[in-house]
Amino acid sequence: MRDHTDLQAMNERSLAQQAAVRRATFSPADEKVLRPFSIWEISQFMFDVPADTLRKKLAEDPSLPQGATEDDGRQRWFSLAEINELRRRLRFRGKSLLPQRPAGRAMRVAVSNFKGGVGKTVVAQHLANAAALDGYRVLVVDFDPQATLTHSMGLAEVREWNTVWGIMCRDLCREANRIADEYDDPADCPYPTADELPEDVQSIGAQRVQDFIQRTSWSTIDIIPSCANAAFVEFASAQYRSIHKAWSFFGCVARYLDELPDDQYDLIVFDCPPAIGYQSLNAAFAADILYIPSGPGYWEYDSTTSYLGQLGDALEDITSGFERIAQDAGITLPKRFDDIRVLMTRFEASNSLHVAMMDAFKNVFGADVCQNPIEMTRAVEQSGRFQMSVYEQDYRQMTRDTWKRARLSFDNAYSEFKDVVLRAWEARTKVEERVE
């Protein structure tokens, strides 16, 4: 017979293995450090100019970042901070290298599906990395208690009060006091105030908005992390909801993000858990765009179908059952997305079954299916094994063609993703300008 001690022993062995992987992947200080990028990468994949043209610009202006030169003097390597300085200062044919950034707050994209293994974290990580290399400032929010995205961003030790659970506790305190203040006599309020909530909720409720945001190994990517101890958030949220029945629990993260300065980030990416619960509903209500990854098999199609139905039903139930609470909290129902997209992952163009499934997805979902799937390559497989995205992997560690094929797959998917985001962003900006 086996009990909880067996599970704990297995956990200890797994943690030891995780530490070994980090030692092999991170720096000696157990800190993940983003690698530098070569002139070849910068010119071909980021600036879209000939390498010789970029070298000429650098030679003409010694005040520009010059990068670090290899011992043999054949190649120069630049940090992300140096690349971004070049973006700000260089122009080619009068054209700026800075990415398009419409006015207003950052756009928010939820990467969600409750089928495990379809690549939600891989997609969220690579979209965030690609956007950062494109010059955008990115915030990633890890809603998943598995915390894979958190680990891939270089964070190992995270406390549960610094996760989305902490944001929900803080929101409950703020909403409890807001609701009580709406009564002429607070004593008439049938719901508890913040100082009547559980002590652990009160202690977290005092945190400031920026306290939940942590730096990553990428200078322009921050994260609201997750951890295994945050797995109880579903149980805790149900308990808090029973304590305060007027709490619009599904709007916590949206309210939190609304507190951030509009210009702090350009893009916010959510990595959602493989379930429909309090966290995934918060992600859905905070998101402008819903990205749904799905593998190329029938079971992934079947699960995606179920996910769409269950998420739709959950949003409908909230619309009909929480209309008054949402209205009082300033939440507009029904929840509307600027766009919904289905992205095929683990795709092999040479596999006739995968091609058939892609055709089936397009037949069912039409233009909502992304035209550029994520291909399965050796570099993509290694991204999970070594907790590094394709963008973080050094192309010198494999054949350049293998690395380039994987990068182009994600670059094409990102380019399409960027078009979706910018269209929605510009449309939203025009609506806001008409309202003003």
Side-chain angles (χ1 to χ4, degrees):
M1 302 293 289
R2 310 180 73 176
D3 59 18
H4 64 281
T5 60
D6 296 284
L7 298 174
Q8 292 167 340
M10 294 169 69
N11 172 255
E12 290 177 3
R13 293 199 299 271
S14 182
L15 288 174
Q17 180 61 35
Q18 282 183 344
V21 171
R22 282 197 295 271
R23 284 194 298 271
T25 307
F26 298 177
S27 69
D30 199 27
E31 177 183 356
K32 186 172 184 179
V33 178
L34 181 63
R35 70 174 179 87
F37 300 86
S38 68
I39 280 187
W40 171 70
E41 292 177 89
I42 297 169
S43 60
Q44 180 165 347
F45 297 103
M46 302 180 204
F47 293 178
D48 191 25
V49 298
D52 287 343
T53 301
L54 177 56
R55 291 190 184 96
K56 184 174 183 293
K57 287 279 190 180
L58 296 177
E60 291 173 346
D61 187 352
S63 71
L64 291 170
Q66 298 296 315
T69 306
E70 288 184 336
D71 293 339
D72 60 9
R74 295 175 56 190
Q75 184 63 277
R76 279 188 283 182
W77 298 80
F78 295 76
S79 69
L80 180 58
E82 291 176 318
I83 294 170
N84 283 329
E85 184 175 348
L86 293 176
R87 280 189 182 280
R88 289 190 294 269
R89 296 178 59 185
L90 286 179
R91 298 179 74 89
F92 291 93
R93 300 187 183 91
K95 181 180 178 182
S96 171
L97 295 173
L98 294 173
Q100 185 179 353
R101 207 287 190 191
R105 64 163 175 79
M107 288 294 287
R108 309 167 187 171
V109 182
V111 181
S112 182
N113 194 335
F114 62 34
K115 176 71 173 71
V118 297
K120 292 186 296 295
T121 300
V122 169
V123 170
Q125 177 190 18
H126 281 80
L127 290 179
N129 287 179
L133 291 179
D134 198 21
Y136 288 111
R137 298 159 301 168
V138 184
L139 174 67
V140 293
V141 185
D142 194 350
F143 285 86
D144 192 346
Q146 297 175 87
T148 305
L149 182 63
T150 297
H151 297 156
S152 73
M153 289 290 175
L155 281 74
E157 300 296 331
V158 177
R159 301 299 182 186
E160 56 266 25
W161 51 83
N162 290 324
T163 69
V164 169
W165 176 69
I167 289 175
M168 295 180 74
C169 289
R170 177 179 181 271
D171 183 81
L172 175 55
C173 291
R174 294 166 64 87
E175 283 296 287
N177 286 337
R178 179 191 66 78
I179 292 170
D181 289 343
E182 290 180 347
Y183 288 81
D184 294 334
D185 184 352
D188 293 336
C189 179
Y191 310 108
T193 56
D195 57 9
E196 296 173 309
L197 295 171
E199 290 185 5
D200 58 341
V201 176
Q202 293 185 47
S203 63
I204 297 172
Q207 291 198 79
R208 298 165 298 179
V209 65
Q210 300 291 343
D211 290 343
F212 298 95
I213 298 173
Q214 299 191 36
R215 301 297 300 275
T216 73
S217 55
W218 290 68
S219 60
T220 51
I221 300 180
D222 292 338
I223 188 172
I224 297 174
S226 185
C227 67
N229 288 344
F232 68 91
V233 68
E234 298 298 318
F235 304 101
S237 299
Q239 176 191 1
Y240 303 154
R241 181 183 167 194
S242 67
I243 293 174
H244 200 300
K245 293 181 171 55
W247 178 42
S248 50
F249 61 90
F250 46 87
C252 303
V253 174
R255 283 189 287 265
Y256 167 81
L257 294 177
D258 285 343
E259 293 184 63
L260 297 177
D262 283 355
D263 61 354
Q264 185 169 350
Y265 300 104
D266 306 310
L267 180 68
I268 302 178
V269 179
F270 307 150
D271 184 26
C272 299
I276 292 181
Y278 289 95
Q279 294 196 76
S280 54
L281 285 174
N282 260 276
F285 268 91
D288 303 310
I289 297 171
L290 185 62
Y291 245 63
I292 306 170
S294 179
Y298 176 77
W299 296 119
E300 288 95 341
Y301 169 76
D302 186 58
S303 181
T304 299
T305 301
S306 297
Y307 166 78
L308 292 168
Q310 292 188 35
L311 179 60
D313 290 345
L315 295 179
E316 181 183 24
D317 289 344
I318 288 177
T319 298
S320 58
F322 294 86
E323 184 176 4
R324 178 60 185 274
I325 289 176
Q327 184 177 4
D328 292 342
I331 299 174
T332 301
L333 294 178
K335 165 63 187 179
R336 290 186 170 88
F337 298 99
D338 293 330
D339 209 340
I340 298 174
R341 308 285 286 179
V342 179
L343 174 64
M344 183 75 75
T345 60
R346 298 187 293 106
F347 181 77
E348 297 176 10
S350 61
N351 188 318
S352 59
L353 292 177
H354 289 193
V355 174
M357 284 305 300
M358 174 65 94
D359 290 340
F361 268 75
K362 291 180 177 179
N363 183 55
V364 173
F365 300 117
D368 292 332
V369 178
C370 296
Q371 297 298 310
N372 295 282
I374 303 298
E375 295 185 20
M376 175 55 71
T377 67
R378 176 170 169 262
V380 174
E381 290 179 320
Q382 288 187 349
S383 70
R385 180 183 176 189
F386 296 111
Q387 298 186 27
M388 294 196 304
S389 73
V390 168
Y391 298 108
E392 294 171 309
Q393 294 177 42
D394 192 327
Y395 57 82
R396 295 171 296 179
Q397 304 301 316
M398 63 188 77
T399 64
R400 184 175 291 199
D401 286 344
T402 297
W403 178 88
K404 188 175 180 180
R405 178 186 164 199
R407 164 137 195 176
L408 286 175
S409 175
F410 281 106
D411 280 353
N412 291 336
Y414 168 72
S415 179
E416 185 175 356
F417 165 82
K418 180 180 176 180
D419 289 342
V420 170
V421 170
L422 288 176
R423 280 198 302 270
W425 204 341
E426 290 169 346
R428 175 174 295 231
T429 300
K430 290 178 181 178
V431 170
E432 291 173 350
E433 289 175 348
R434 285 199 298 269
V435 171
E436 293 177 357

